[in-house]
Amino acid sequence: MHALLRMIKMARKYLGLIIVSFALVLFSSALTMATPFVISRLTAALNSAAGARMDVVASLSVALAGAYLIRAVFKGGSACLGHYCAWHFVPWLTTQVYDKLQKLSMRFYHDRQTGELMSRAVNDARQMELLVAHILPDMMSNVLIVILVTVALFMINPLLAALTLIPIPIIVISSVVFMKKQEPVNARAFSILGEINGALQDNISGIKEIQAFSKETHEHEKIAGLCRDYTRANISWSRNSGVFYPLIEFLTSLGTIIVIAVGGWLAVRGHMTSADIIGFVLYLSLYYQP
């Protein structure tokens, strides 16, 4: 959190545009709720004793089309503003890192590889684009969707909504465990990538010396060893993901099973309508998506 606040402080020049971008993301996320609402209302109208009138169908269609259009405009505006801020911030941050490197002592450079420092200054700074333009807006959007969908589910049927939330603690705990396992793996992969860039830069700049002293085989083994370490780190990441994501998919499907079982039982007893169940399933898909 401290690092995040520091990054926000450093990007204060673009803070106004970032806030506008986040606001557009929130509005577009809120409009995502239109689809379950319209489909639920259409189902209720079709199942009503009087039957659905064409003016009702037309009004719902126009409303949904308008919601989609406005959401597309908001998402497009948010993406443009977010990337505008991010791609101005990243070069500025790279320049700041370079200025810092110029002020460091000769002792700092004694055992540092040039390529590794270049990788840190360029590649690591570039990751801030993901933070500003993607991660933070997506996080805010997901939080808003969870809040809105929770309210909608409890408005439809509080009992069924409470039951569908049963898998949530398990999902949260699994996510925390997964992140703790992945963080050192990701750090290791980035570190090895820096070493590879450093070794390649040093070898290419000193290729004449390598050839003059017949060190090609030695340097080949060095690069190959780093590549094998990088492969193992990425395979470890993929192995953890291969366990986590199917597990989360199974846990989220439990909510749908609960809706079908309990919701069907409530509908048979006359406590819910088919429109409510359809709306519940559609809202639930939005709820588990983040």
Side-chain angles (χ1 to χ4, degrees):
M1 181 59 69
H2 175 73
L4 177 60
L5 294 176
R6 185 180 179 187
M7 286 295 126
I8 293 175
K9 183 178 180 181
M10 293 172 68
R12 61 183 177 274
K13 179 180 179 181
Y14 307 102
L15 192 58
L17 292 177
I18 292 175
I19 292 175
V20 174
S21 174
F22 286 177
L24 293 177
V25 167
L26 295 179
F27 286 133
S28 64
S29 300
L31 289 172
T32 304
M33 303 286 291
T35 301
F37 177 80
V38 169
I39 293 177
S40 178
R41 297 286 71 79
L42 178 61
T43 304
L46 294 174
N47 291 336
S48 64
R53 302 192 312 272
M54 279 307 301
D55 60 331
V56 175
V57 175
S59 62
L60 289 174
S61 301
V62 172
L64 187 60
Y68 282 156
L69 178 60
I70 296 173
R71 186 180 67 175
V73 172
F74 283 174
K75 291 186 70 174
S78 173
C80 290
L81 287 176
H83 285 94
Y84 175 86
C85 296
W87 287 118
H88 279 78
F89 178 61
V90 168
W92 176 86
L93 182 60
T94 303
T95 304
Q96 295 299 305
V97 174
Y98 173 74
D99 291 342
K100 179 66 176 179
L101 288 172
Q102 290 194 111
K103 298 176 182 178
L104 295 175
S105 65
M106 296 300 295
R107 185 177 61 178
F108 173 82
Y109 292 100
H110 177 69
D111 58 350
R112 297 295 197 285
Q113 290 179 306
T114 304
E116 182 179 0
L117 295 176
M118 290 175 59
S119 178
R120 295 291 188 180
V122 178
N123 295 337
D124 289 10
R126 189 187 184 281
Q127 297 302 313
M128 292 301 103
E129 185 271 335
L130 295 176
L131 176 69
V132 175
H134 299 280
I135 296 175
L136 289 178
D138 288 348
M139 182 180 67
M140 296 182 64
S141 172
N142 291 338
V143 170
L144 179 65
I145 288 177
V146 167
I147 294 173
L148 293 177
V149 171
T150 301
V151 173
L153 292 179
F154 275 92
M155 289 179 63
I156 295 174
N157 191 290
L159 173 62
L160 188 56
L163 291 175
T164 55
L165 297 182
I166 292 176
I168 296 300
I170 305 175
I171 293 174
V172 172
I173 294 173
S174 300
S175 300
V176 171
V177 172
F178 172 72
M179 287 188 292
K180 287 184 177 180
K181 288 180 67 68
Q182 289 294 77
E183 184 176 0
V185 175
N186 291 340
R188 175 62 178 161
F190 272 104
S191 176
I192 296 173
L193 182 60
E195 293 180 28
I196 292 174
N197 290 333
L200 286 175
Q201 197 277 337
D202 289 348
N203 287 2
I204 292 173
S205 61
I207 192 66
K208 292 181 180 179
E209 289 77 6
I210 293 175
Q211 293 175 343
F213 292 96
S214 301
K215 292 292 185 178
E216 291 92 343
T217 302
H218 175 268
E219 295 301 327
H220 167 82
E221 291 299 327
K222 178 181 177 182
I223 297 297
L226 289 173
C227 289
R228 286 193 294 270
D229 291 340
Y230 189 58
T231 298
R232 282 193 289 267
N234 282 286
I235 289 177
S236 178
W237 184 93
S238 300
R239 183 171 57 249
N240 293 339
S241 300
V243 174
F244 173 73
Y245 289 110
L247 173 63
I248 294 301
E249 184 177 353
F250 170 74
L251 292 174
T252 55
S253 66
L254 294 179
T256 304
I257 296 172
I258 293 173
V259 172
I260 298 300
V262 180
W265 178 76
L266 292 173
V268 169
R269 290 180 169 270
H271 299 299
M272 287 188 71
T273 65
S274 58
D276 288 338
I277 295 177
I278 292 175
F280 216 101
V281 172
L282 293 173
Y283 279 126
L284 201 63
S285 64
L286 294 177
Y287 186 83
Y288 282 124
Q289 182 177 341

